[in-house]
């Protein structure tokens, strides 16, 4: 499928042996080009995370539910850190398309490898950001399940999870 916002780089290394045998190693990396609506959405998510943090402090401080307040503040902080890290990674070097165009203009092997190296490093940073994003989503999902306990019928799911965790705790001891 043709996906215009993805750029895939392929690096092939060839090694010619003493007897003429040729071995190759392929390395692939894919990165994406973000659109303008992404910036608006990241600002909106940041504002919502700040509102959630302030609201949880106001409401949960009155109820003296300090543990839940700390978890909510951690979730909001993790969301903010994730979004800010994404914005910094997006608007800081390397600038993939201009770097690739410059490397093609100079048409020198060292320029190609320097550009590909910076792109590979950028891909590693994006991998770390996506790992943090997965952790944030997982914690938010657990928090969502704990909110289901408020409703009598939907509260069956959190109660079943807590029962299973209790059984697992007894099995492991």
């Amino acid at each position: 499928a043709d996906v215009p916002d993805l750029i895939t780089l392929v690096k092939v290394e060839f090694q010619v042996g003493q007897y003429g045998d040729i071995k190759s190693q392929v390395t692939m990396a894919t990165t994406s080009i973000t659109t303008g609506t992404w910036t608006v959405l990241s600002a909106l998510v940041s504002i919502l995370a700040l509102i959630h943090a302030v609201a949880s402090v106001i409401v949960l401080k009155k109820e003296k539910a300090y543990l839940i307040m700390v978890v909510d503040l951690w979730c909001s902080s993790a969301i903010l850190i994730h979004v800010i890290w994404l914005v910094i990674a997006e608007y800081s070097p390397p600038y993939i398309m201009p770097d690739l165009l410059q490397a093609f203009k100079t048409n020198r092997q060292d320029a190609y490898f320097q550009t590909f190296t910076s792109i590979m490093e950028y891909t590693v940073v994006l991998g770390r950001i996506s790992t943090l994003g997965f952790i944030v989503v997982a914690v938010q999902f657990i928090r969502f399940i704990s909110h289901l306990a408020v409703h009598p019928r939907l509260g069956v799911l959190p109660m079943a999870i807590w029962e299973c965790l209790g059984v697992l705790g007894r099995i492991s001891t």
Side-chain angles (χ1 to χ4, degrees), residues 61-137:
K61 195 172 185 182
K62 289 178 186 175
E63 297 177 11
K64 298 188 189 264
Y66 297 115
L67 179 63
I68 297 172
M69 184 174 66
V70 168
V71 170
D72 281 351
L73 285 176
W74 183 90
C75 288
S76 297
S77 300
I79 289 170
L80 283 173
I81 289 168
H82 182 252
V83 170
I84 289 169
W85 196 8
L86 275 172
V87 170
I88 289 171
E90 178 63 29
Y91 292 112
S92 63
Y95 304 110
I96 295 173
M97 291 308 287
D99 288 350
L100 279 175
L101 292 175
Q102 184 63 30
F104 289 133
K105 252 186 204 175
T106 59
N107 198 20
R108 292 181 33 227
Q109 186 177 9
D110 60 335
Y112 292 133
F113 285 119
Q114 182 180 4
T115 303
F116 291 149
T117 301
S118 66
I119 291 171
M120 294 297 286
E121 291 169 356
Y122 180 67
T123 304
V124 168
V125 169
L126 288 179
R128 291 180 182 145
I129 293 173
S130 65
T131 301
L132 175 64
F134 175 78
I135 292 169
V136 168
V137 168

Side-chain angles (χ1 to χ4, degrees), residues 8-13 24-30 116 120 123:
T8 302
L9 300 171
V10 179
K11 178 182 174 186
V12 181
E13 295 178 13
S24 65
Q25 181 179 1
V26 178
T27 306
M28 293 180 64
T30 301
F116 291 149
M120 294 297 286
T123 304

